[in-house]
Amino acid sequence: MGANTNVRFSLPAVCVVWQTAMIILFGVFIRYDEESDPHWLEHKKLNNISSDIENDFYFRYPSFQDVHVMIFVGFGFLMTFLKRYSFGGVGFNFLIAAFGLQWALLMQGWFHSLDYTDGKIKIGIENLINADFCVAGCLIAYGALLGKVSPVQLMVLTLFGITLFAVEEYIILNLIHARDAGGSMVIHTFGAYYGLSISWMLYRPNLDQSSRLQGSVYHSDVFATIGTLFLWMFWPSFNSAITDHGDGQHRAVINTYLALASTVLTTVAMSSLFQKHGKLDMVHVQNSTLAGGVAVGTAAEFMLMPYGSLIVGFCCGVISTLGYIYISPFLEKYMKVQDTCGVHNLHAMPGVIGGIVGAITAAAASESVYGHEGLVKTFDFEGAFEKMEPTTQGGHQAGGLCVALIFGIGGGMIVGAILRLPIWGDPADDNCFDDETYWEVPEDEEIFDSSIY
Amino acid sequence: MGANTNVRFSLPAVCVVWQTAMIILFGVFIRYDEESDPHWLEHKKLNNISSDIENDFYFRYPSFQDVHVMIFVGFGFLMTFLKRYSFGGVGFNFLIAAFGLQWALLMQGWFHSLDYTDGKIKIGIENLINADFCVAGCLIAYGALLGKVSPVQLMVLTLFGITLFAVEEYIILNLIHARDAGGSMVIHTFGAYYGLSISWMLYRPNLDQSSRLQGSVYHSDVFATIGTLFLWMFWPSFNSAITDHGDGQHRAVINTYLALASTVLTTVAMSSLFQKHGKLDMVHVQNSTLAGGVAVGTAAEFMLMPYGSLIVGFCCGVISTLGYIYISPFLEKYMKVQDTCGVHNLHAMPGVIGGIVGAITAAAASESVYGHEGLVKTFDFEGAFEKMEPTTQGGHQAGGLCVALIFGIGGGMIVGAILRLPIWGDPADDNCFDDETYWEVPEDEEIFDSSIY
Amino acid sequence: MGANTNVRFSLPAVCVVWQTAMIILFGVFIRYDEESDPHWLEHKKLNNISSDIENDFYFRYPSFQDVHVMIFVGFGFLMTFLKRYSFGGVGFNFLIAAFGLQWALLMQGWFHSLDYTDGKIKIGIENLINADFCVAGCLIAYGALLGKVSPVQLMVLTLFGITLFAVEEYIILNLIHARDAGGSMVIHTFGAYYGLSISWMLYRPNLDQSSRLQGSVYHSDVFATIGTLFLWMFWPSFNSAITDHGDGQHRAVINTYLALASTVLTTVAMSSLFQKHGKLDMVHVQNSTLAGGVAVGTAAEFMLMPYGSLIVGFCCGVISTLGYIYISPFLEKYMKVQDTCGVHNLHAMPGVIGGIVGAITAAAASESVYGHEGLVKTFDFEGAFEKMEPTTQGGHQAGGLCVALIFGIGGGMIVGAILRLPIWGDPADDNCFDDETYWEVPEDEEIFDSSIY
């Protein structure tokens, strides 16, 4: 193993310095919002709030915890499928999520939750959800790079990824006024192209030297299924976590639930149809079954209609599975993009589809379907956007998608260039996908010594 | 391996055709209900609803997600215990649940949620929970057949299973007016006997040719424990998910929590007592510890009393464990019922006990215990049943149990006959319980090559 | 294997007798409270409660389920890391939790929920949460003893542990009037020192005879990570589960979320810095990342401030990881304390830090920060404590910490003396950490026979 993978000083240094910076910045900027501050009692009286249950905490906390599980167990375990990179998959996912959410609270806070009266960011449960969302973008990018980068590189990727995310999110949601409840554009499209561009910049022509480790074993596939299922089950919470109280959250859940169900069937169909002997491939079942959730992200809160959700899920199951079979090998061979987890099939294509579905659904909105008040509330046609028409909104949605693509690809290329510097302790081509590089791995031989058992 | 297990065309065909049918039927029939539609804002005003938190979403969503975890992770991982059928256990569980919930929304919708003004089914969060419940019946049936059927057979089993479920549920709950919050009768009794009858119809006299694969290995047992624990922990949510708001949900949770706790102790006691050297058997701990949750399903919302719940759990732990030790071998040897997961011990017997406990508890209800309003609300003594007496209700409960048994056994025999047709690609006797049959299984030898590590 | 490990009669006897005792005691003492009783409808009217959503069930149930997952999956899977004690880790955790919660409902009920009008304990959702909390103390103690005790000893440990817990909790919370929302003192300090004292009493000088089994294997480490992540993710629910409705729960979640995030970074930093070649140690990532959650337990509901939470987490990640590297070997070698899971590093030290942080934060409280009403509500300055000052409260907090230490150490020594009796079927020094002792373990050789696959 090359001495260059020793991160004994760089990793602790980055962790301690950045965590210290977080403490200082939190000390300067972050405070509790009015619903998490003890003055809530007075706030309640002043605003004629009749009950503690009106605290946003009770509208959002169950969804928050589901999203939290998706980030740490869902993404984490989905990345344990490699035979000898399970520690790195779930462990580095844990590390960068824990750092990312702190930085996200600051970055998103400056854009969205700054109280201009005192210059402080006021945080509550919705900020925690948004921080988790922001982290999701970086974890998607990690999926493309799994096994090929050092933890220090991942910390750098996360620092820049969160920063870029907060800026593109502000542009898309606030300046362009696109809606993106489940983040098809803001999270999935951005995150996937960010990771794919970095992977392109870090292309390893001799990666086949690690090919012995680039597959799964039986039990690592079962571990990865834990990630798949928690993502699949809680995706309705993801897409509804920050939508409007009441019908908005309710509808987003129904649409996501249905799209995901539909995706499972077409994924299984395609996986069986395109394999020899009709045998199913676990890679498809682990990943493509989730594509429907990505693709209804933007439109989940709209009147996509139950059958519309099923159609979106149907198409994404087909496209995502075919992507694993045909597009991923093509990208690796001809485009020099090595995509370990296939995020192009699970996040990039479905994310773009989600952006388009969102634009179409928004453009097709009408008062006859939503009611006047419903239309205003769903699309937030208020303030400067009071006179906006659904068709215009459709155009803005499309604009949002472009911004996400530009930030993903452009940001990824810049960050990729930085990560090519020879100072980050990344593994050599022949010890990629190997936990031995960054982890103390227990000796396994002993359990095969039948003299003990 | 026999060529007959190639499902390369049948499985994709079934998945695509049925999913397409779902899209068409959803297009024709399924719409959002008033709480998930943007007209909610107007609905709120018209009905003097003061807050979005009164949307049923907030009463039911946390329970829904718990039930969802039980269906996909609970049932799925419980079926990973076989040494080489973990992919099939969790994967096919995923497939049939994803299909089943769509068909259940339609079938249950026609019976329970049809809006006669426009002929549409209006769905909300409660429909999603009921669809998950409906699917649970088919997953229980799958437990009896695990490893012995093809995915195409499972899709057929699910199509008919959901249909039968919706009919028996309508008869039991609406026509007979039995109460069954946690589905001891409707879900567990029906599902278990449905699966056992199919297993009887598909009896394989030479199944011992696969006996080398019919056990667990160390880590597959740990995987199965994940399923056990998520079922055990979230069972209170299952039994309370659709009970009355307020005290109904609250009480159902307490009763289920206690019954399950009690079951664990007697399961451990029996497992130790009836094994050589007093060693515990993981099969019992994985399964029988759940029997108490099944058996308080019907009565969970009634005044079963905390000690009553403990007694039910106590008995079920004993009966279910003894079932694994004595009754399952008897059923296989003399009754020609091969029950892979032992659903007779986990669902059938406890389900019947649950129906009986429900009947007794209902018959013993009185105004002095429930209060007048409490009695009316708990047993829904309204409309045509306004003058119903608790003792009569007890009789109706018993009638409901009989209907569940008849539908389970009768339906299972009919569907079993269909599944005997030689067109479904089921495995030969010597490749049952083997993921190689329907899955691309990774090569495992490599990790034992110590030259690499 | 020594014949003395046969628990064929003692384990069933203990389980059946104690479960029977629970049924009798529940029959005599336990009833539903007013929110889980059918008279809720009348209670609502009498108290002008406008909606079922005001039932405490809806404020607490999602948190309860998260705590429940922590107890059974979190603690259970965290203890699966040993290569051949996964069954015992998760299985005995299940057993003692299921017993403990019943006994806790009684013990805590007598102290906190006794209705003096009829001499009955009235239980609702908050009692279930408290029972789970109470159980957590015993599970922490189990962590110190993992692999070295018999299930019968664990049942005895739990019986006494719950009893001691209820008494110390009553003294700390009610008599001393200390606040301890997340149980840094009441749960973690007590539980850890209880277990460590027992371990000291049961010191095994020849434990190295089992040293071949005292490590992990690759997949057992991945299983343990499931436990880690569910503990980590749901810890905000743990610390907020029984805090005040509204801002109290909201703030406790934010503080815990931040403390835990900070801990991850410093744990990784220390783990890398103090290992050869900078490689990370899974033991640290599995355990020390949780220390921040322990240490903000007491102060989570106070105005610890977001940066304060980060600081607490920062320090605990450092201390806990260094504890694993330096203090645990010291304790084993010089203090004769064998601590299998390192609860001294994960619960004892962070628990004491949590108590101190709580005392300081309480002493520093002021009306300018909390508002008058907020101060009264947060610290419960009502009734006999109406005129209490924050500085005095700080002193009482410190007093509470001392009580927890005394009960933990003293109780552990007494119970340890009882557990030294030669009647409990504990394993010999050379079959510790071995599931063969108390479980039927499946044969694993077969899967290595490549002729089958």
Side-chain angles (χ1 to χ4, degrees):
Chain A
M1 195 182 312
N4 62 329
T5 62
N6 190 327
V7 291
R8 185 169 178 186
F9 295 103
S10 54
L11 182 59
V14 166
C15 288
V16 169
V17 170
W18 292 7
Q19 187 58 54
T20 308
M22 289 300 113
I23 291 173
I24 295 166
L25 289 168
F26 270 60
V28 176
F29 287 107
I30 305 264
R31 297 292 178 272
Y32 305 111
D33 75 3
E34 61 204 1
E35 298 191 310
S36 55
D37 189 278
H39 292 88
W40 159 252
L41 292 168
E42 291 155 31
H43 176 77
K44 255 171 70 182
K45 273 187 213 157
L46 281 173
N47 294 272
N48 284 317
I49 296 168
S50 59
S51 163
D52 282 321
I53 200 103
E54 296 290 329
N55 194 306
D56 200 35
F57 182 78
Y58 301 101
F59 286 90
R60 306 255 182 238
Y61 189 64
S63 308
F64 161 69
Q65 273 298 4
D66 293 350
V67 171
H68 218 41
V69 171
M70 292 174 74
I71 298 297
F72 290 90
V73 164
F75 282 106
F77 271 84
L78 193 62
M79 292 197 262
T80 60
F81 72 101
L82 289 170
K83 65 182 74 166
R84 280 280 143 168
Y85 209 72
S86 300
F87 289 9
V90 69
F92 294 150
N93 182 83
F94 192 19
L95 172 64
I96 62 182
F99 165 66
L101 62 85
Q102 298 177 57
W103 182 227
L105 282 172
L106 283 160
M107 282 301 304
Q108 294 183 311
W110 283 315
F111 282 117
H112 299 287
S113 306
L114 198 60
D115 181 342
Y116 291 100
T117 60
D118 60 1
K120 305 296 185 194
I121 297 163
K122 303 291 170 65
I123 62 170
I125 188 69
E126 197 169 331
N127 299 72
L128 305 194
I129 297 172
N130 273 313
D132 272 15
F133 278 4
C134 196
V135 162
C138 294
L139 300 181
I140 292 165
Y142 178 34
L145 301 163
L146 184 72
K148 299 173 297 187
V149 290
S150 78
V152 183
Q153 285 179 308
L154 287 172
M155 293 292 285
V156 174
L157 173 152
T158 305
L159 181 75
F160 286 104
I162 299 286
T163 312
L164 289 162
F165 184 102
V167 176
E168 58 111 38
E169 184 191 45
Y170 180 72
I171 294 172
I172 293 171
L173 302 188
N174 294 56
L175 302 187
I176 296 185
H177 192 265
R179 304 284 289 172
D180 197 12
S184 297
M185 304 181 287
V186 168
I187 300 168
H188 296 285
T189 303
F190 165 76
Y193 284 104
Y194 180 61
L196 292 167
S197 301
I198 294 174
S199 188
W200 182 72
M201 293 296 288
L202 301 180
Y203 179 68
R204 289 169 178 267
N206 301 314
L207 190 60
D208 55 0
Q209 291 178 11
S210 292
S211 64
R212 73 191 183 286
L213 293 170
Q214 215 178 341
S216 61
V217 289
Y218 196 68
H219 281 166
S220 72
D221 265 331
V222 182
F223 278 119
T225 311
I226 297 173
T228 300
L229 289 177
F230 277 102
L231 287 171
W232 195 91
M233 296 181 301
F234 290 161
W235 216 292
S237 300
F238 192 92
N239 285 351
S240 70
I242 56 163
T243 52
D244 292 328
H245 292 169
D247 65 289
Q249 288 197 283
H250 206 148
R251 190 164 56 251
V253 161
I254 294 172
N255 287 333
T256 311
Y257 173 91
L258 291 174
L260 286 162
S262 177
T263 309
V264 174
L265 273 87
T266 52
T267 297
V268 167
M270 291 301 115
S271 184
S272 176
L273 190 62
F274 286 85
Q275 300 289 107
K276 261 190 299 185
H277 309 302
K279 293 186 183 184
L280 297 168
D281 189 326
M282 254 295 167
V283 171
H284 307 155
V285 173
Q286 281 160 8
N287 292 282
S288 297
T289 50
L290 300 166
V294 174
V296 293
T298 302
E301 61 178 335
F302 302 159
M303 288 295 278
L304 182 58
M305 305 309 291
Y307 68 89
S309 306
L310 291 182
I311 293 171
V312 172
F314 186 103
C315 298
C316 284
V318 173
I319 292 168
S320 178
T321 310
L322 295 181
Y324 276 97
I325 299 172
Y326 296 114
I327 301 177
S328 284
F330 174 86
L331 284 179
E332 177 150 2
K333 196 163 177 190
Y334 298 104
M335 304 287 286
K336 299 189 188 306
V337 175
Q338 291 157 331
D339 178 6
T340 313
C341 294
V343 302
H344 187 263
N345 313 305
L346 170 48
H347 298 283
M349 292 191 297
V352 171
I353 292 169
I356 295 167
V357 169
I360 294 169
T361 318
S366 68
E367 287 204 4
S368 67
V369 172
Y370 290 76
H372 175 70
E373 283 180 89
L375 194 68
V376 168
K377 191 178 169 208
T378 304
F379 292 98
D380 198 22
F381 288 157
E382 283 171 341
F385 298 94
E386 197 179 349
K387 300 201 170 160
M388 199 148 166
E389 290 294 318
T391 46
T392 327
Q393 178 69 31
H396 287 220
Q397 296 288 135
L401 180 59
C402 295
V403 171
L405 280 165
I406 292 165
F407 266 78
I409 295 171
M413 290 175 70
I414 295 165
V415 174
I418 295 169
L419 294 181
R420 287 174 74 167
L421 298 175
I423 57 172
W424 306 116
D426 44 325
D429 289 343
D430 61 349
N431 56 15
C432 286
F433 313 120
D434 192 351
D435 274 334
E436 291 277 355
T437 315
Y438 302 111
W439 296 86
E440 297 285 339
V441 176
E443 301 285 330
D444 268 13
E445 292 91 321
E446 204 172 345
I447 72 160
F448 308 131
D449 180 350
S450 59
S451 68
I452 293 179
Y453 304 99
Chain B
M1 195 181 311
N4 63 331
T5 62
N6 190 327
V7 292
R8 187 168 176 187
F9 296 103
S10 55
L11 182 59
V14 166
C15 288
V16 169
V17 170
W18 292 7
Q19 187 58 54
T20 307
M22 289 300 114
I23 291 173
I24 294 167
L25 289 168
F26 270 60
V28 176
F29 286 108
I30 305 262
R31 297 292 178 271
Y32 304 111
D33 75 3
E34 62 204 1
E35 297 193 310
S36 56
D37 188 278
H39 292 89
W40 160 251
L41 292 168
E42 292 155 30
H43 175 78
K44 255 171 71 182
K45 273 186 213 157
L46 282 173
N47 293 275
N48 283 318
I49 296 168
S50 60
S51 163
D52 282 321
I53 200 102
E54 296 290 330
N55 193 305
D56 200 35
F57 182 78
Y58 301 101
F59 286 90
R60 305 255 183 236
Y61 190 65
S63 308
F64 161 69
Q65 273 298 3
D66 293 350
V67 171
H68 217 40
V69 172
M70 293 173 73
I71 297 296
F72 290 90
V73 164
F75 282 105
F77 272 84
L78 194 61
M79 292 198 262
T80 60
F81 73 100
L82 289 170
K83 65 180 74 165
R84 280 280 143 167
Y85 209 72
S86 300
F87 289 8
V90 69
F92 294 150
N93 182 83
F94 192 17
L95 172 64
I96 62 182
F99 165 67
L101 62 87
Q102 299 177 55
W103 181 226
L105 282 172
L106 283 161
M107 282 302 303
Q108 294 184 312
W110 283 316
F111 282 118
H112 299 288
S113 306
L114 198 61
D115 182 341
Y116 291 101
T117 60
D118 60 1
K120 305 295 185 193
I121 298 163
K122 303 291 170 66
I123 62 170
I125 189 69
E126 197 169 332
N127 299 72
L128 305 193
I129 297 171
N130 274 312
D132 273 16
F133 278 4
C134 195
V135 163
C138 294
L139 300 181
I140 292 165
Y142 179 34
L145 301 164
L146 184 71
K148 298 174 297 186
V149 288
S150 76
V152 183
Q153 285 179 308
L154 288 172
M155 293 292 285
V156 174
L157 173 152
T158 305
L159 181 75
F160 286 104
I162 300 287
T163 312
L164 289 162
F165 184 102
V167 176
E168 59 110 39
E169 184 192 45
Y170 179 73
I171 294 171
I172 294 172
L173 302 189
N174 294 55
L175 301 188
I176 297 185
H177 193 263
R179 304 285 289 171
D180 197 11
S184 296
M185 305 182 286
V186 169
I187 299 168
H188 296 285
T189 303
F190 165 77
Y193 283 104
Y194 180 60
L196 292 167
S197 302
I198 294 175
S199 188
W200 182 73
M201 292 296 288
L202 301 180
Y203 179 67
R204 289 168 179 269
N206 300 316
L207 190 59
D208 56 359
Q209 291 177 10
S210 292
S211 65
R212 74 193 182 284
L213 294 170
Q214 215 178 342
S216 61
V217 289
Y218 195 69
H219 282 166
S220 72
D221 265 332
V222 182
F223 278 119
T225 312
I226 296 173
T228 301
L229 288 177
F230 277 101
L231 287 171
W232 195 92
M233 296 182 302
F234 289 162
W235 215 293
S237 300
F238 192 93
N239 285 351
S240 70
I242 54 162
T243 52
D244 292 329
H245 291 169
D247 64 290
Q249 288 197 282
H250 206 148
R251 190 165 57 251
V253 161
I254 295 171
N255 287 334
T256 312
Y257 173 91
L258 292 174
L260 286 162
S262 177
T263 308
V264 175
L265 273 86
T266 51
T267 297
V268 166
M270 290 302 114
S271 183
S272 176
L273 190 61
F274 286 86
Q275 300 290 106
K276 260 190 298 184
H277 308 303
K279 292 187 184 184
L280 296 169
D281 188 326
M282 254 293 165
V283 171
H284 307 156
V285 173
Q286 282 160 7
N287 293 281
S288 296
T289 50
L290 301 165
V294 175
V296 293
T298 301
E301 61 177 336
F302 303 159
M303 289 296 278
L304 183 58
M305 305 310 291
Y307 67 89
S309 305
L310 291 182
I311 293 171
V312 172
F314 187 103
C315 299
C316 284
V318 173
I319 292 168
S320 178
T321 311
L322 294 181
Y324 277 96
I325 299 172
Y326 296 115
I327 301 177
S328 284
F330 175 85
L331 284 180
E332 176 151 2
K333 195 162 177 190
Y334 298 105
M335 305 287 285
K336 299 189 188 307
V337 176
Q338 290 157 331
D339 178 6
T340 314
C341 294
V343 303
H344 186 263
N345 312 305
L346 171 48
H347 298 282
M349 291 191 298
V352 171
I353 292 170
I356 295 167
V357 169
I360 295 169
T361 318
S366 67
E367 287 204 5
S368 66
V369 172
Y370 289 76
H372 176 69
E373 285 181 86
L375 194 67
V376 168
K377 191 177 167 208
T378 304
F379 292 98
D380 198 22
F381 289 156
E382 285 169 340
F385 299 93
E386 198 178 350
K387 299 201 169 161
M388 199 148 165
E389 290 293 319
T391 45
T392 327
Q393 178 70 31
H396 287 220
Q397 296 287 135
L401 180 59
C402 296
V403 172
L405 280 165
I406 291 166
F407 265 80
I409 296 171
M413 289 175 70
I414 295 166
V415 174
I418 295 169
L419 294 180
R420 286 173 76 167
L421 298 175
I423 58 171
W424 305 115
D426 44 325
D429 289 344
D430 61 350
N431 56 16
C432 286
F433 314 118
D434 192 349
D435 274 333
E436 291 277 355
T437 314
Y438 302 111
W439 296 84
E440 296 286 339
V441 176
E443 301 286 329
D444 267 14
E445 292 91 321
E446 205 172 344
I447 73 160
F448 307 130
D449 180 350
S450 60
S451 70
I452 294 178
Y453 305 99
Chain C
M1 194 180 314
N4 62 330
T5 61
N6 190 327
V7 291
R8 185 168 177 187
F9 296 102
S10 54
L11 181 60
V14 167
C15 288
V16 169
V17 170
W18 292 7
Q19 187 57 56
T20 307
M22 289 301 114
I23 291 173
I24 294 166
L25 288 169
F26 270 61
V28 176
F29 286 107
I30 305 263
R31 297 293 179 271
Y32 304 111
D33 75 3
E34 62 204 2
E35 298 193 308
S36 54
D37 189 278
H39 292 89
W40 161 251
L41 292 167
E42 292 156 30
H43 175 78
K44 256 172 70 181
K45 274 186 212 156
L46 281 174
N47 293 273
N48 283 317
I49 296 169
S50 60
S51 164
D52 282 321
I53 200 102
E54 296 289 330
N55 193 306
D56 200 35
F57 182 77
Y58 300 101
F59 286 90
R60 305 253 182 239
Y61 188 65
S63 308
F64 160 68
Q65 272 298 3
D66 293 350
V67 171
H68 217 40
V69 171
M70 292 174 72
I71 297 298
F72 290 89
V73 165
F75 282 106
F77 271 84
L78 194 61
M79 291 198 263
T80 60
F81 72 100
L82 289 170
K83 64 181 76 165
R84 282 280 142 168
Y85 209 72
S86 300
F87 289 7
V90 69
F92 294 150
N93 182 83
F94 192 20
L95 172 65
I96 62 182
F99 166 66
L101 62 86
Q102 299 177 56
W103 181 227
L105 282 172
L106 284 161
M107 282 301 304
Q108 294 184 313
W110 283 316
F111 281 117
H112 299 288
S113 305
L114 198 60
D115 181 342
Y116 291 99
T117 59
D118 59 2
K120 305 296 184 193
I121 297 164
K122 303 291 169 68
I123 63 170
I125 188 69
E126 197 169 332
N127 299 70
L128 305 194
I129 297 171
N130 274 311
D132 272 16
F133 278 5
C134 195
V135 163
C138 293
L139 300 181
I140 292 165
Y142 178 34
L145 301 164
L146 184 72
K148 299 174 297 187
V149 289
S150 76
V152 182
Q153 284 179 309
L154 288 172
M155 293 291 286
V156 174
L157 172 153
T158 305
L159 180 75
F160 286 104
I162 299 286
T163 312
L164 289 162
F165 183 103
V167 176
E168 59 111 36
E169 184 191 45
Y170 180 72
I171 294 172
I172 293 172
L173 301 188
N174 294 54
L175 301 188
I176 296 185
H177 192 265
R179 303 286 289 171
D180 197 10
S184 297
M185 304 181 288
V186 169
I187 300 169
H188 297 285
T189 304
F190 165 76
Y193 284 104
Y194 180 60
L196 292 166
S197 301
I198 294 173
S199 188
W200 182 74
M201 292 296 290
L202 301 180
Y203 180 68
R204 289 168 179 269
N206 300 315
L207 190 59
D208 56 0
Q209 291 177 11
S210 293
S211 65
R212 74 193 182 284
L213 294 171
Q214 214 178 343
S216 61
V217 288
Y218 195 69
H219 281 166
S220 72
D221 265 332
V222 182
F223 278 119
T225 312
I226 296 172
T228 301
L229 289 177
F230 276 101
L231 288 170
W232 195 92
M233 296 182 301
F234 290 161
W235 214 293
S237 300
F238 192 93
N239 285 351
S240 70
I242 55 163
T243 52
D244 291 328
H245 291 170
D247 65 289
Q249 287 197 283
H250 206 148
R251 191 165 55 252
V253 161
I254 295 172
N255 287 333
T256 311
Y257 172 91
L258 292 174
L260 286 162
S262 177
T263 309
V264 174
L265 272 88
T266 52
T267 297
V268 167
M270 290 302 114
S271 183
S272 176
L273 190 62
F274 286 86
Q275 301 289 107
K276 260 192 298 184
H277 308 303
K279 293 187 184 184
L280 297 169
D281 189 328
M282 254 295 167
V283 170
H284 307 156
V285 173
Q286 282 160 8
N287 292 281
S288 296
T289 51
L290 301 166
V294 175
V296 293
T298 302
E301 62 177 334
F302 302 160
M303 288 294 278
L304 183 57
M305 305 311 290
Y307 68 90
S309 306
L310 292 182
I311 293 171
V312 172
F314 187 103
C315 298
C316 285
V318 173
I319 292 168
S320 178
T321 311
L322 295 180
Y324 276 97
I325 299 171
Y326 296 114
I327 301 176
S328 284
F330 174 86
L331 284 180
E332 176 149 2
K333 195 163 178 191
Y334 298 104
M335 304 287 285
K336 299 190 190 307
V337 176
Q338 291 157 330
D339 178 5
T340 313
C341 293
V343 302
H344 187 262
N345 312 306
L346 170 48
H347 298 282
M349 291 192 297
V352 171
I353 292 170
I356 295 167
V357 169
I360 294 169
T361 318
S366 68
E367 287 204 5
S368 67
V369 172
Y370 290 75
H372 176 69
E373 285 180 87
L375 195 67
V376 168
K377 192 178 168 207
T378 304
F379 293 97
D380 197 23
F381 288 157
E382 285 171 339
F385 299 94
E386 197 180 351
K387 300 203 170 161
M388 199 147 165
E389 290 292 318
T391 46
T392 326
Q393 178 70 31
H396 287 220
Q397 296 288 136
L401 181 58
C402 296
V403 172
L405 280 164
I406 292 166
F407 267 80
I409 296 171
M413 290 176 70
I414 295 165
V415 174
I418 296 169
L419 295 181
R420 286 173 75 167
L421 298 175
I423 57 171
W424 306 115
D426 44 326
D429 288 343
D430 62 350
N431 55 15
C432 286
F433 314 119
D434 192 350
D435 274 333
E436 290 278 354
T437 315
Y438 303 111
W439 297 84
E440 296 287 338
V441 176
E443 301 285 330
D444 267 13
E445 292 91 319
E446 205 172 345
I447 72 159
F448 307 130
D449 179 351
S450 59
S451 69
I452 293 179
Y453 305 99

